[in-house]
Amino acid sequence: MFKINKEVFIKDYKRKFVEIHGVPLEEGSDIEKYQALGILVKDYVIDMWINTNKRYNDNKEKQVYYFSMEFLLGRLLGNSLLNLGIRDLCKEGLKELNIDLDKLEELEQDQGLGNGGLGRLAACFLDSMASLNIPGHGCGIRYKYGFFEQKIINGSQVETPDVWLRKDNVWEIKKHNKAEVVKFGGEVKVEYIDGSLKFNHINYDSVLATPYDTPIVGYKNDVINSLRLWSAEPINNEFDFSSFSRGEYLKAIEYKNSVEAISQVLYPEDSFYEGKLLRLKQQYFFVSAGIQSIIRHYKKHIGDLYLLNDRIAIHINDTHPTMAIPELMRILIDEENFSWDDAWRVTTNTISYTNHTILAEALEKWEVNMFKKLLPRIYMIIEEIDRRFREELNNRYPYQEEKIHKMAIIEDGFVKMAHLAVVGSHSVNGVAKLHTEILKKQEMSDFYYMFPRKFNNKTNGITHRRWLIKSNPELTKLLKMTIGDSWIKHPTDMEAFKRFKDDAVVQEKLSEIKKNNKERLAKKIKEQQGIIVDTNSIFDVQVKRIHAYKRQTLNALRIMGIYNKLLGDPNLDIPPRTFIFGGKAAPGYYLAKKTIELINAIGKKINNDKRINDKLKVIFMENYNVSLAELIIPATDLSEQISTTTKEASGTSNMKFMMNGAVTIATLDGANVEIRDEVGDENIIIFGLTEKEVVNYYRNGGYSSWAVRNSDNRLINVTEQLVNGFYDQDRERFRIIYRDLLDYNDEFFVLKDFDSYMNAQEKVDELYRNKAKWQSMAAVNIAHSGIFSSDRTIQEYATGIWGSGFLYKNL
Ligand SMILES: *Cc1c(COP(=O)(O)O)cnc(C)c1O
């Protein structure tokens, strides 16, 4: 394990600081101090990084490549120090230099190259792969601008660019000599040479893909894996003086700009698909660069491409990197002279796919004409995959035209990426038990019947190193004091904590820790918005992307309902609550942006209403991101997981909250079901429609939101308050929400679940009043959270899908 002592660290740090900044440490600014520390840590890591790669090559271990359009890493300094096992030592060393490590860590810009859950999952997986000694690397895009920064101005969301590279990124290393060329456009010339067809791609435009590698530090095991992010650059010889001399200066600039646009910006959409050409370019860009570099490395160190799937696993995170399938086929056939059948066998055995959603609006399909023009050879290959698949379908289901249409890859002028991903991979997994069952029984049932053995479940997880050890040091300490520290390597050992659920001393300690974390958050709220919140109130939190299916509206209507009740009876005896929201709306998602406005309008009214004696406060935290999550989650009493049943594939914040001792109020959706199974009905508050009821409504109709509303006075009041000037003098401001709920019949059953949600919240009040009961629930939730560590998830991927984590020394 990496070893260093404090004195050496101090000496190294001072030296590094002077070397980088050319001024004495005493004269440096905080940001300079952060940079020097980051660069020093990277120095410490470099030898281990080289050794890890050498070991992988020498031992010929199976390598996993996790392809994802998003990696939502957050900050790296604190977690790298933690995983190296030197965070405490550095903290003490810096203290001797009068430097506060926590403060330096906060100066790091979040690496926010993702929208939400999907990108954060990829980041947790990288941490777990390295910590479990699995040779697993990330492959993605180095966006110049990450997910936008959210400002709340006059209660509305305003987007500004996330210039995360402004102060340099100390973690990455640019690898010029590992660049790859990616080809777009042009035509394919087919020739018949020596008895076989040759495909010649000509007249294409070239883009240079240059990789930037970031070290991913394993937990105290000397393993450093890599996250490789690709950046698009013009190819030098096409931007040289000869083009200037030919008077093509402007053309050259245009070329440069159009190339750089490819890795310029992350699309700020979550669970929503838009068929934009630039996005298609992004997808092929990183997939092609990634596959080419894998093949290049493999040929150099191993060689026999026919055995590729013995040594390489490529995983695609949702359908965004599905072109890995035809790209690998292209390389094997066009460049390595494989037959179609051999290429297909190797490709399908190498690639595995995770499905993340059943929302229809999120399923990717690309217009054939656009696709063909941008990627002519890749399109040809997909056509051939489709042709062969249809043949198979015809044999299986003769004359069942409709079924074949439904399952085909190319249909009605579109390329359907999920179908390509299922057909071209050997494993398809959902991300929670319920989600996988819905995939098998409903959304992908035709494919499931055809390829039952491809389908499997891998319930999501979160890294307990970031989401507990790093973000909640006091709780970590309590766990170590009570049950030791074996759970750090074996998170399910946390179950031992259950023994202490009714221990008065432990309960007292839990409540003190929660209180301290709430104080920390309250301070931030005060700084950010000047509002003072009561840390004795219930911190009732819903933080996640703003989306109709996640039902922030249900939460908002509930708060309006409680407020009405309090106005009717200001002496009503209920525990005070602080409602905390956070989350970004996609810039083009009008309803979601209106939801943010509504929450802020409710806050403005309630927070300033003296009649209710500060019983309720509503806070919308600006710019929800990983770092803010690390502050909010440990301070939460009540975790809101209230999506419409069947719509949230898994959710991962639900896991982060329980691990930090929050009690969950939830629908039986996604991984909430498994959380309930773990903690038992008495330690979670469940409400709302069941899966069967929702499916029945969607299939057979019979839901009338008007009827539901008209039968409940509370609902009549709150819906009217959306449009009668109660929350904003502009009565039209929230009309769209009103119409969505009533005139468009409330697609996500907000009104239908209102009554059951209100009752569940009353139960929360009752439980919270009983401090011992509440803390015992918190303790049980913590104790059962180990199973939701991404270490468990990654272990399952490794043994169940990738066949990785073992050696091929003798081959
Ligand atoms: C965990 C996390 C998410 C996912 O939250 P869900 O509630 O599961 O949708 C989104 N954003 C950030 C910053 C996260 O840390």
Side-chain angles (χ1 to χ4, degrees), residues 66 121 125 314-318 351-357 421-422 425-433 435-437 439-440 444 453-460 649-650 792-793 796-797 800-802:
Y66 194 84
L121 184 78
F125 281 5
I314 294 172
H315 198 88
I316 56 179
N317 193 23
D318 213 326
I351 292 175
S352 48
Y353 154 61
T354 297
N355 174 286
H356 279 271
T357 182
V422 173
S425 64
H426 64 93
S427 168
V428 179
N429 74 281
V431 291
K433 280 180 190 163
H435 168 61
T436 301
E437 284 311 304
L439 279 183
K440 293 201 290 195
M444 291 198 168
R453 292 196 314 181
K454 286 192 188 187
F455 284 76
N456 63 93
N457 175 247
K458 299 285 170 280
T459 299
N460 280 168
S650 161
R792 186 267 311 149
T793 315
E796 291 178 2
Y797 274 88
I801 299 178
W802 302 329

Short mmCIF file of all heavy atoms in Angstrom, two decimals, residues 66 121 125 314-318 351-357 421-422 425-433 435-437 439-440 444 453-460 649-650 792-793 796-797 800-802:
data_model
loop_
_atom_site.label_atom_id
_atom_site.label_comp_id
_atom_site.label_asym_id
_atom_site.label_seq_id
_atom_site.Cartn_x
_atom_site.Cartn_y
_atom_site.Cartn_z
N TYR A 66 -15.74 0.65 -19.91
CA TYR A 66 -17.10 1.12 -19.64
C TYR A 66 -17.35 2.37 -20.47
O TYR A 66 -16.81 3.43 -20.18
CB TYR A 66 -17.24 1.39 -18.14
CG TYR A 66 -18.67 1.56 -17.69
CD1 TYR A 66 -19.46 0.45 -17.39
CD2 TYR A 66 -19.23 2.83 -17.56
CE1 TYR A 66 -20.77 0.61 -16.98
CE2 TYR A 66 -20.55 2.98 -17.15
CZ TYR A 66 -21.31 1.87 -16.86
OH TYR A 66 -22.61 2.02 -16.46
N LEU A 121 -23.79 7.20 -11.86
CA LEU A 121 -23.60 5.75 -11.77
C LEU A 121 -22.26 5.36 -12.38
O LEU A 121 -21.49 4.58 -11.81
CB LEU A 121 -24.74 5.01 -12.48
CG LEU A 121 -24.68 3.48 -12.35
CD1 LEU A 121 -25.19 3.06 -10.98
CD2 LEU A 121 -25.49 2.80 -13.44
N PHE A 125 -19.20 3.54 -10.50
CA PHE A 125 -18.66 2.27 -11.01
C PHE A 125 -17.15 2.34 -11.18
O PHE A 125 -16.44 1.38 -10.90
CB PHE A 125 -19.32 1.91 -12.36
CG PHE A 125 -20.70 1.30 -12.21
CD1 PHE A 125 -21.32 1.18 -10.97
CD2 PHE A 125 -21.38 0.82 -13.33
CE1 PHE A 125 -22.58 0.61 -10.84
CE2 PHE A 125 -22.65 0.24 -13.21
CZ PHE A 125 -23.24 0.14 -11.97
N ILE A 314 -16.52 -4.95 -23.36
CA ILE A 314 -16.92 -3.56 -23.60
C ILE A 314 -18.36 -3.41 -23.15
O ILE A 314 -19.25 -4.15 -23.61
CB ILE A 314 -16.77 -3.19 -25.09
CG1 ILE A 314 -15.29 -3.22 -25.49
CG2 ILE A 314 -17.38 -1.80 -25.36
CD1 ILE A 314 -15.05 -3.05 -26.98
N HIS A 315 -18.58 -2.49 -22.23
CA HIS A 315 -19.94 -2.31 -21.71
C HIS A 315 -20.49 -0.98 -22.18
O HIS A 315 -19.80 0.04 -22.12
CB HIS A 315 -19.94 -2.36 -20.18
CG HIS A 315 -21.30 -2.61 -19.63
ND1 HIS A 315 -21.79 -3.89 -19.45
CD2 HIS A 315 -22.30 -1.76 -19.30
CE1 HIS A 315 -23.04 -3.81 -19.00
NE2 HIS A 315 -23.38 -2.53 -18.91
N ILE A 316 -21.74 -0.97 -22.63
CA ILE A 316 -22.32 0.30 -23.08
C ILE A 316 -23.42 0.74 -22.11
O ILE A 316 -24.35 0.01 -21.80
CB ILE A 316 -22.82 0.25 -24.54
CG1 ILE A 316 -23.81 -0.86 -24.80
CG2 ILE A 316 -21.61 0.07 -25.48
CD1 ILE A 316 -24.32 -0.89 -26.24
N ASN A 317 -23.21 1.95 -21.59
CA ASN A 317 -24.09 2.53 -20.58
C ASN A 317 -25.25 3.20 -21.29
O ASN A 317 -25.11 4.31 -21.80
CB ASN A 317 -23.29 3.55 -19.75
CG ASN A 317 -24.01 3.98 -18.48
OD1 ASN A 317 -24.87 3.25 -17.98
ND2 ASN A 317 -23.66 5.14 -17.96
N ASP A 318 -26.39 2.53 -21.36
CA ASP A 318 -27.54 2.95 -22.14
C ASP A 318 -27.22 2.85 -23.63
O ASP A 318 -26.14 2.36 -24.00
CB ASP A 318 -27.99 4.37 -21.77
CG ASP A 318 -29.52 4.51 -21.91
OD1 ASP A 318 -30.10 3.88 -22.81
OD2 ASP A 318 -30.13 5.25 -21.12
N ILE A 351 -19.48 -7.36 -26.30
CA ILE A 351 -20.28 -6.20 -25.89
C ILE A 351 -21.48 -6.58 -25.02
O ILE A 351 -22.16 -7.58 -25.27
CB ILE A 351 -20.70 -5.39 -27.14
CG1 ILE A 351 -19.43 -4.75 -27.73
CG2 ILE A 351 -21.74 -4.32 -26.78
CD1 ILE A 351 -19.59 -4.01 -29.00
N SER A 352 -21.70 -5.78 -24.00
CA SER A 352 -22.87 -5.94 -23.13
C SER A 352 -23.52 -4.57 -22.94
O SER A 352 -22.87 -3.54 -23.08
CB SER A 352 -22.45 -6.55 -21.80
OG SER A 352 -21.32 -5.88 -21.27
N TYR A 353 -24.80 -4.58 -22.60
CA TYR A 353 -25.59 -3.35 -22.65
C TYR A 353 -26.48 -3.20 -21.40
O TYR A 353 -27.09 -4.16 -20.95
CB TYR A 353 -26.43 -3.39 -23.93
CG TYR A 353 -27.73 -2.61 -23.95
CD1 TYR A 353 -27.75 -1.22 -23.79
CD2 TYR A 353 -28.95 -3.26 -24.16
CE1 TYR A 353 -28.95 -0.51 -23.84
CE2 TYR A 353 -30.16 -2.55 -24.21
CZ TYR A 353 -30.14 -1.17 -24.04
OH TYR A 353 -31.33 -0.48 -24.08
N THR A 354 -26.51 -2.00 -20.85
CA THR A 354 -27.43 -1.69 -19.76
C THR A 354 -28.55 -0.80 -20.24
O THR A 354 -28.30 0.25 -20.83
CB THR A 354 -26.70 -0.97 -18.60
OG1 THR A 354 -25.71 -1.83 -18.06
CG2 THR A 354 -27.68 -0.57 -17.50
N ASN A 355 -29.77 -1.22 -20.01
CA ASN A 355 -30.93 -0.38 -20.30
C ASN A 355 -31.26 0.45 -19.06
O ASN A 355 -31.26 -0.06 -17.94
CB ASN A 355 -32.12 -1.25 -20.68
CG ASN A 355 -33.38 -0.44 -20.85
OD1 ASN A 355 -33.97 0.02 -19.87
ND2 ASN A 355 -33.80 -0.23 -22.07
N HIS A 356 -31.52 1.74 -19.25
CA HIS A 356 -31.74 2.63 -18.12
C HIS A 356 -33.14 3.18 -18.00
O HIS A 356 -33.43 3.92 -17.07
CB HIS A 356 -30.79 3.82 -18.18
CG HIS A 356 -29.43 3.51 -17.68
ND1 HIS A 356 -29.07 3.67 -16.37
CD2 HIS A 356 -28.33 3.04 -18.31
CE1 HIS A 356 -27.81 3.32 -16.21
NE2 HIS A 356 -27.34 2.93 -17.37
N THR A 357 -33.97 2.91 -18.97
CA THR A 357 -35.27 3.58 -18.93
C THR A 357 -36.30 2.86 -19.77
O THR A 357 -35.97 2.20 -20.75
CB THR A 357 -35.15 5.04 -19.42
OG1 THR A 357 -36.43 5.66 -19.32
CG2 THR A 357 -34.70 5.11 -20.88
N ALA A 421 -28.80 -2.64 -29.85
CA ALA A 421 -28.02 -2.97 -28.65
C ALA A 421 -28.36 -4.38 -28.15
O ALA A 421 -27.47 -5.13 -27.73
CB ALA A 421 -28.26 -1.94 -27.56
N VAL A 422 -29.64 -4.74 -28.20
CA VAL A 422 -30.03 -6.07 -27.71
C VAL A 422 -29.51 -7.14 -28.66
O VAL A 422 -28.93 -8.15 -28.24
CB VAL A 422 -31.57 -6.18 -27.59
CG1 VAL A 422 -31.97 -7.61 -27.25
CG2 VAL A 422 -32.09 -5.22 -26.54
N SER A 425 -25.42 -7.64 -28.65
CA SER A 425 -24.66 -7.84 -27.42
C SER A 425 -25.01 -9.20 -26.81
O SER A 425 -25.98 -9.83 -27.23
CB SER A 425 -24.97 -6.73 -26.42
OG SER A 425 -26.33 -6.80 -26.05
N HIS A 426 -24.24 -9.62 -25.84
CA HIS A 426 -24.54 -10.93 -25.24
C HIS A 426 -25.27 -10.79 -23.91
O HIS A 426 -25.69 -11.79 -23.31
CB HIS A 426 -23.26 -11.74 -25.03
CG HIS A 426 -22.29 -11.11 -24.06
ND1 HIS A 426 -22.28 -11.41 -22.72
CD2 HIS A 426 -21.35 -10.17 -24.24
CE1 HIS A 426 -21.34 -10.70 -22.12
NE2 HIS A 426 -20.76 -9.92 -23.02
N SER A 427 -25.40 -9.54 -23.41
CA SER A 427 -26.06 -9.34 -22.13
C SER A 427 -26.82 -8.03 -22.14
O SER A 427 -26.32 -7.01 -22.60
CB SER A 427 -25.02 -9.34 -21.00
OG SER A 427 -25.60 -8.87 -19.81
N VAL A 428 -28.05 -8.09 -21.64
CA VAL A 428 -28.88 -6.90 -21.51
C VAL A 428 -29.34 -6.85 -20.06
O VAL A 428 -30.00 -7.77 -19.60
CB VAL A 428 -30.13 -6.98 -22.41
CG1 VAL A 428 -31.01 -5.75 -22.24
CG2 VAL A 428 -29.74 -7.18 -23.86
N ASN A 429 -28.97 -5.79 -19.35
CA ASN A 429 -29.43 -5.76 -17.96
C ASN A 429 -30.24 -4.52 -17.65
O ASN A 429 -30.00 -3.44 -18.19
CB ASN A 429 -28.25 -5.90 -16.98
CG ASN A 429 -27.41 -4.65 -16.87
OD1 ASN A 429 -26.57 -4.37 -17.72
ND2 ASN A 429 -27.63 -3.89 -15.80
N GLY A 430 -31.21 -4.71 -16.77
CA GLY A 430 -31.92 -3.60 -16.17
C GLY A 430 -31.22 -3.22 -14.88
O GLY A 430 -30.26 -3.89 -14.48
N VAL A 431 -31.69 -2.16 -14.23
CA VAL A 431 -30.93 -1.58 -13.12
C VAL A 431 -31.61 -1.70 -11.76
O VAL A 431 -31.12 -1.15 -10.78
CB VAL A 431 -30.56 -0.11 -13.43
CG1 VAL A 431 -29.55 -0.04 -14.56
CG2 VAL A 431 -31.80 0.71 -13.76
N ALA A 432 -32.74 -2.39 -11.71
CA ALA A 432 -33.37 -2.75 -10.44
C ALA A 432 -34.32 -3.90 -10.75
O ALA A 432 -34.73 -4.08 -11.90
CB ALA A 432 -34.13 -1.58 -9.83
N LYS A 433 -34.67 -4.68 -9.74
CA LYS A 433 -35.49 -5.87 -10.00
C LYS A 433 -36.78 -5.53 -10.74
O LYS A 433 -37.11 -6.14 -11.75
CB LYS A 433 -35.84 -6.57 -8.68
CG LYS A 433 -34.72 -7.44 -8.16
CD LYS A 433 -35.12 -8.10 -6.84
CE LYS A 433 -33.92 -8.77 -6.17
NZ LYS A 433 -34.17 -9.05 -4.74
N HIS A 435 -37.56 -2.91 -12.51
CA HIS A 435 -37.27 -2.41 -13.85
C HIS A 435 -36.96 -3.57 -14.81
O HIS A 435 -37.48 -3.62 -15.93
CB HIS A 435 -36.09 -1.43 -13.76
CG HIS A 435 -35.49 -1.05 -15.08
ND1 HIS A 435 -36.19 -0.42 -16.07
CD2 HIS A 435 -34.23 -1.21 -15.57
CE1 HIS A 435 -35.40 -0.20 -17.11
NE2 HIS A 435 -34.20 -0.68 -16.83
N THR A 436 -36.16 -4.51 -14.36
CA THR A 436 -35.81 -5.65 -15.21
C THR A 436 -37.05 -6.49 -15.52
O THR A 436 -37.24 -6.95 -16.65
CB THR A 436 -34.71 -6.51 -14.55
OG1 THR A 436 -33.57 -5.68 -14.32
CG2 THR A 436 -34.30 -7.67 -15.44
N GLU A 437 -37.90 -6.66 -14.51
CA GLU A 437 -39.13 -7.41 -14.75
C GLU A 437 -40.01 -6.71 -15.78
O GLU A 437 -40.60 -7.34 -16.65
CB GLU A 437 -39.91 -7.62 -13.44
CG GLU A 437 -39.29 -8.71 -12.56
CD GLU A 437 -38.99 -9.99 -13.32
OE1 GLU A 437 -39.92 -10.55 -13.94
OE2 GLU A 437 -37.82 -10.42 -13.35
N LEU A 439 -38.98 -4.72 -18.14
CA LEU A 439 -38.33 -4.91 -19.44
C LEU A 439 -38.71 -6.26 -20.02
O LEU A 439 -39.07 -6.37 -21.19
CB LEU A 439 -36.80 -4.88 -19.29
CG LEU A 439 -36.09 -3.54 -19.22
CD1 LEU A 439 -34.58 -3.78 -19.15
CD2 LEU A 439 -36.43 -2.66 -20.40
N LYS A 440 -38.61 -7.29 -19.19
CA LYS A 440 -38.85 -8.63 -19.68
C LYS A 440 -40.32 -8.87 -20.02
O LYS A 440 -40.64 -9.46 -21.04
CB LYS A 440 -38.39 -9.67 -18.64
CG LYS A 440 -36.87 -9.65 -18.45
CD LYS A 440 -36.33 -10.95 -17.83
CE LYS A 440 -36.70 -11.14 -16.40
NZ LYS A 440 -35.88 -12.19 -15.74
N MET A 444 -39.67 -5.00 -23.48
CA MET A 444 -38.85 -5.77 -24.41
C MET A 444 -39.25 -7.23 -24.43
O MET A 444 -38.41 -8.11 -24.67
CB MET A 444 -37.37 -5.65 -24.00
CG MET A 444 -36.82 -4.26 -24.22
SD MET A 444 -35.03 -4.29 -24.23
CE MET A 444 -34.70 -2.65 -24.87
N ARG A 453 -31.78 -15.71 -22.35
CA ARG A 453 -30.56 -15.79 -21.53
C ARG A 453 -29.74 -14.51 -21.55
O ARG A 453 -28.82 -14.36 -20.76
CB ARG A 453 -29.73 -16.98 -21.96
CG ARG A 453 -30.44 -18.30 -21.60
CD ARG A 453 -29.53 -19.47 -21.64
NE ARG A 453 -28.72 -19.42 -22.87
CZ ARG A 453 -27.83 -20.34 -23.18
NH1 ARG A 453 -27.61 -21.35 -22.38
NH2 ARG A 453 -27.14 -20.25 -24.31
N LYS A 454 -30.07 -13.61 -22.46
CA LYS A 454 -29.34 -12.34 -22.46
C LYS A 454 -29.77 -11.45 -21.31
O LYS A 454 -29.02 -10.60 -20.84
CB LYS A 454 -29.60 -11.56 -23.76
CG LYS A 454 -28.92 -12.11 -24.99
CD LYS A 454 -29.00 -11.10 -26.14
CE LYS A 454 -28.47 -11.75 -27.41
NZ LYS A 454 -28.36 -10.76 -28.51
N PHE A 455 -31.02 -11.62 -20.86
CA PHE A 455 -31.59 -10.65 -19.92
C PHE A 455 -31.23 -10.95 -18.48
O PHE A 455 -31.32 -12.09 -18.04
CB PHE A 455 -33.11 -10.57 -20.09
CG PHE A 455 -33.51 -9.80 -21.32
CD1 PHE A 455 -33.40 -10.36 -22.58
CD2 PHE A 455 -33.96 -8.50 -21.22
CE1 PHE A 455 -33.75 -9.66 -23.73
CE2 PHE A 455 -34.33 -7.77 -22.35
CZ PHE A 455 -34.22 -8.35 -23.61
N ASN A 456 -30.82 -9.93 -17.77
CA ASN A 456 -30.49 -10.10 -16.35
C ASN A 456 -30.59 -8.78 -15.62
O ASN A 456 -30.64 -7.72 -16.23
CB ASN A 456 -29.08 -10.70 -16.20
CG ASN A 456 -28.00 -9.79 -16.74
OD1 ASN A 456 -27.42 -9.00 -16.00
ND2 ASN A 456 -27.71 -9.87 -18.04
N ASN A 457 -30.63 -8.88 -14.31
CA ASN A 457 -30.74 -7.66 -13.48
C ASN A 457 -29.45 -7.37 -12.74
O ASN A 457 -28.79 -8.28 -12.25
CB ASN A 457 -31.88 -7.84 -12.47
CG ASN A 457 -31.94 -6.64 -11.53
OD1 ASN A 457 -31.68 -6.75 -10.34
ND2 ASN A 457 -32.25 -5.48 -12.07
N LYS A 458 -29.11 -6.10 -12.69
CA LYS A 458 -28.00 -5.66 -11.84
C LYS A 458 -28.48 -4.40 -11.12
O LYS A 458 -28.42 -3.30 -11.69
CB LYS A 458 -26.75 -5.33 -12.68
CG LYS A 458 -26.19 -6.51 -13.48
CD LYS A 458 -25.45 -7.50 -12.60
CE LYS A 458 -25.11 -8.77 -13.36
NZ LYS A 458 -26.26 -9.73 -13.48
N THR A 459 -28.97 -4.57 -9.92
CA THR A 459 -29.47 -3.41 -9.20
C THR A 459 -28.34 -2.42 -8.95
O THR A 459 -27.25 -2.79 -8.52
CB THR A 459 -30.12 -3.85 -7.87
OG1 THR A 459 -31.21 -4.73 -8.18
CG2 THR A 459 -30.65 -2.66 -7.09
N ASN A 460 -28.63 -1.16 -9.26
CA ASN A 460 -27.64 -0.09 -9.12
C ASN A 460 -27.06 -0.01 -7.72
O ASN A 460 -27.59 -0.59 -6.76
CB ASN A 460 -28.29 1.27 -9.44
CG ASN A 460 -28.41 1.52 -10.93
OD1 ASN A 460 -29.10 2.44 -11.36
ND2 ASN A 460 -27.75 0.72 -11.74
N ALA A 649 -36.36 3.92 -13.21
CA ALA A 649 -35.76 2.60 -13.41
C ALA A 649 -35.16 2.08 -12.10
O ALA A 649 -35.41 0.96 -11.69
CB ALA A 649 -34.71 2.67 -14.51
N SER A 650 -34.36 2.91 -11.44
CA SER A 650 -33.80 2.49 -10.16
C SER A 650 -33.83 3.64 -9.16
O SER A 650 -34.41 3.55 -8.09
CB SER A 650 -32.35 2.02 -10.35
OG SER A 650 -31.67 2.01 -9.13
N ARG A 792 -20.98 -4.06 -4.52
CA ARG A 792 -21.82 -5.24 -4.75
C ARG A 792 -22.25 -5.28 -6.22
O ARG A 792 -22.17 -6.31 -6.89
CB ARG A 792 -23.03 -5.22 -3.81
CG ARG A 792 -23.93 -6.46 -3.84
CD ARG A 792 -25.10 -6.35 -4.80
NE ARG A 792 -25.82 -5.10 -4.64
CZ ARG A 792 -26.43 -4.47 -5.62
NH1 ARG A 792 -26.43 -4.96 -6.85
NH2 ARG A 792 -27.05 -3.33 -5.40
N THR A 793 -22.70 -4.13 -6.73
CA THR A 793 -23.16 -4.08 -8.12
C THR A 793 -22.04 -4.50 -9.08
O THR A 793 -22.23 -5.33 -9.97
CB THR A 793 -23.61 -2.65 -8.49
OG1 THR A 793 -24.43 -2.13 -7.44
CG2 THR A 793 -24.38 -2.64 -9.78
N GLU A 796 -21.21 -8.07 -9.20
CA GLU A 796 -22.19 -8.81 -10.00
C GLU A 796 -21.95 -8.63 -11.51
O GLU A 796 -22.08 -9.58 -12.28
CB GLU A 796 -23.61 -8.35 -9.65
CG GLU A 796 -24.06 -8.77 -8.26
CD GLU A 796 -25.46 -8.27 -7.90
OE1 GLU A 796 -26.12 -7.61 -8.74
OE2 GLU A 796 -25.89 -8.53 -6.76
N TYR A 797 -21.61 -7.43 -11.92
CA TYR A 797 -21.29 -7.22 -13.34
C TYR A 797 -20.06 -8.06 -13.71
O TYR A 797 -20.02 -8.70 -14.77
CB TYR A 797 -20.95 -5.75 -13.63
CG TYR A 797 -22.14 -4.85 -13.92
CD1 TYR A 797 -22.82 -4.21 -12.89
CD2 TYR A 797 -22.55 -4.58 -15.23
CE1 TYR A 797 -23.88 -3.35 -13.14
CE2 TYR A 797 -23.62 -3.72 -15.49
CZ TYR A 797 -24.28 -3.10 -14.45
OH TYR A 797 -25.33 -2.26 -14.71
N GLY A 800 -21.07 -11.85 -13.46
CA GLY A 800 -22.25 -12.24 -14.23
C GLY A 800 -22.22 -11.80 -15.68
O GLY A 800 -22.91 -12.38 -16.52
N ILE A 801 -21.46 -10.77 -16.00
CA ILE A 801 -21.49 -10.26 -17.39
C ILE A 801 -20.10 -10.24 -18.02
O ILE A 801 -19.90 -10.75 -19.12
CB ILE A 801 -22.09 -8.83 -17.44
CG1 ILE A 801 -23.53 -8.82 -16.91
CG2 ILE A 801 -22.06 -8.31 -18.88
CD1 ILE A 801 -24.19 -7.44 -16.88
N TRP A 802 -19.14 -9.66 -17.32
CA TRP A 802 -17.85 -9.42 -17.97
C TRP A 802 -16.89 -10.59 -17.89
O TRP A 802 -15.94 -10.66 -18.66
CB TRP A 802 -17.17 -8.18 -17.32
CG TRP A 802 -17.99 -6.93 -17.39
CD1 TRP A 802 -18.87 -6.60 -18.39
CD2 TRP A 802 -18.02 -5.85 -16.45
NE1 TRP A 802 -19.44 -5.37 -18.11
CE2 TRP A 802 -18.93 -4.89 -16.93
CE3 TRP A 802 -17.34 -5.59 -15.25
CZ2 TRP A 802 -19.21 -3.71 -16.26
CZ3 TRP A 802 -17.61 -4.40 -14.57
CH2 TRP A 802 -18.54 -3.47 -15.08
#
